[in-house]
Amino acid sequence: MSDTLALKYRPQKFSDMVGHPIISTVLEKMVEAKAIPNGLLFSGPSGVGKTTAARILAKELNPTASAESVIEIDAASHGGVADVRELTDRLLYSSGGDYRVVIIDECHSMTRDAFNALLITLEEQTESTVFILVTTEPYQVPKNVRGRLLNYEFNAVTAEDIYLRLKWIQEQESIEADDNLLSMIASQAQGDVRRSVMLLDQTVIAGIRTAEDYRKSLGEVDFAPVLIASMMTGDYGLIFSNLDKVIYKVGNPSVVSSQILEAFRDMLILKTGGDIHRSGSALNNRKSIAARLDSQRIISGQKLLWALKTRIKV
């Protein structure tokens, strides 16, 4: 069985990383200068490249060393004090490389006693040992531990950056897929690069080549322009009737708000003379509505919707 696209195209060096140019450049310069802190904290949403960056850093620090130079722990299943003590014992032995790198994934899952034991280990290690803690919940990490770590915040990757990555993979694999499909996948991934590549892989397996086929496979429609158009009428009965139908079908208010935000973004791009990765009725609907709205109203709508979206917990 061949590798999945997500595995095959997982970044192997800093220049491969998507959407984090400053972080990748800084880490690369640290390696070149051999000025690596003993402890780093990589935080941010799932799928944005935190663990990948940790593995690249470990590889760059020991390019010719054996796998023994890297210890990777999943704290979700090995986050107790006994696990930290076992780790401390392993660090007593030489790895054969210039550095010993310890990657602790999902570190927020560690117990309080485990964090206390880790803090002692962090304070006692030599300069040749580098700890990289990876988490989606940095504030679950005790303050005294965070204070020993240099924090790098990985933000959600933009849809445009994800689209460019998918486009590059498409070219490498000679995948038959139109730009609208790649753009749709990039938007649906919501900043998660790994998820976007997995979605692309699914479409390849299913033989889906167009955005329209993808919508049909999901049973979805391009509902955002319809909702925006109903909002423009000022008819609250129509607005809530359409909104109820969409939420009933989609099942997640966060997805609904995200697609309306994306439609507003498309309209702003169109009003400034730019191009968007849409065609057919999806493009025509956005052009028609954009022509009837001034830019300030679109921006105001975005601000209001974003304020509501941040309060949605599902």
Side-chain angles (χ1 to χ4, degrees):
M1 182 177 178
S2 60
D3 290 340
T4 63
L5 293 179
L7 181 60
K8 183 176 181 179
Y9 288 101
R10 188 166 195 162
Q12 299 298 315
K13 52 186 184 293
F14 289 123
S15 59
D16 292 337
M17 289 174 58
V18 180
H20 310 292
I22 295 177
I23 292 177
S24 59
T25 299
V26 169
L27 292 177
E28 190 169 23
K29 295 298 183 183
M30 279 185 173
V31 173
E32 291 175 358
K34 294 186 177 181
I36 308 297
N38 281 101
L40 301 101
L41 179 65
F42 290 176
S43 62
S46 296
V48 297
K50 304 183 301 296
T51 303
T52 295
R55 289 171 177 164
I56 292 173
L57 179 56
K59 182 179 178 182
E60 292 293 322
L61 287 173
N62 290 302
T64 60
S66 67
E68 295 297 320
S69 62
V70 180
I71 300 173
E72 189 165 344
I73 299 171
D74 180 5
S77 55
H78 296 88
V81 65
D83 298 298
V84 175
R85 288 172 179 161
E86 180 184 343
L87 168 64
T88 302
D89 289 340
R90 292 178 65 183
L91 294 176
L92 295 174
Y93 300 95
S94 174
S95 66
D98 293 334
Y99 290 88
R100 169 66 65 81
V101 181
V102 179
I103 300 172
I104 304 179
D105 210 354
E106 304 292 341
C107 69
H108 56 270
S109 301
M110 295 173 65
T111 65
R112 177 65 60 174
D113 287 343
F115 272 123
N116 289 335
L118 178 64
L119 182 60
I120 296 173
T121 302
L122 283 168
E123 292 171 343
E124 293 179 346
Q125 291 308 307
T126 64
E127 293 182 359
S128 61
T129 302
V130 177
F131 285 83
I132 309 174
L133 276 63
V134 182
T135 180
T136 55
E137 302 176 36
Y139 294 104
Q140 295 295 326
V141 179
K143 187 175 181 180
N144 57 351
V145 175
R146 292 205 312 269
R148 296 282 306 181
L149 308 169
L150 182 60
N151 186 16
Y152 288 93
E153 296 182 16
F154 289 69
N155 297 319
V157 181
T158 66
E160 182 62 21
D161 281 341
I162 293 177
Y163 165 79
L164 292 173
R165 180 65 172 177
L166 295 178
K167 185 69 176 175
W168 181 78
I169 293 174
Q170 176 200 31
E171 293 169 352
Q172 301 304 305
E173 296 289 315
S174 298
I175 295 171
E176 293 186 30
D178 65 23
D179 280 356
N180 290 326
L181 173 58
L182 299 182
S183 180
M184 178 179 289
I185 292 173
S187 296
Q188 286 202 337
Q190 297 187 332
D192 187 329
V193 181
R194 180 177 62 229
R195 181 173 181 236
S196 75
V197 181
M198 293 173 68
L199 288 171
L200 177 62
D201 210 357
Q202 292 174 17
T203 63
V204 172
I205 294 171
I208 295 171
R209 300 178 179 178
T210 67
E212 186 62 30
D213 288 343
Y214 187 57
R215 289 192 192 96
K216 289 178 181 178
S217 72
L218 298 176
E220 294 183 355
V221 295
D222 184 30
F223 55 77
V226 175
L227 290 179
I228 294 172
S230 64
M231 293 174 193
M232 292 169 62
T233 67
D235 185 332
Y236 293 106
L238 175 62
I239 294 170
F240 287 109
S241 175
N242 285 336
L243 187 59
D244 283 345
K245 291 176 183 177
V246 170
I247 291 178
Y248 177 78
K249 185 171 185 178
V250 176
N252 189 335
S254 182
V255 173
V256 176
S257 60
S258 292
Q259 291 208 21
I260 297 175
L261 279 168
E262 289 166 12
F264 277 140
R265 178 205 60 197
D266 288 346
M267 292 172 193
L268 279 175
I269 292 172
L270 289 171
K271 290 189 76 66
T272 57
D275 295 321
I276 60 175
H277 296 295
R278 298 187 185 275
S279 62
S281 61
L283 176 60
N284 293 333
N285 288 341
R286 283 160 175 75
K287 284 183 175 180
S288 176
I289 296 173
R292 296 165 57 192
L293 287 174
D294 60 57
S295 298
Q296 190 55 51
R297 287 189 66 187
I298 297 175
I299 293 171
S300 297
Q302 284 181 308
K303 290 180 178 178
L304 176 61
L305 193 57
W306 182 254
L308 292 172
K309 180 178 169 59
T310 57
R311 292 175 173 81
I312 296 174
K313 302 298 182 184
V314 295

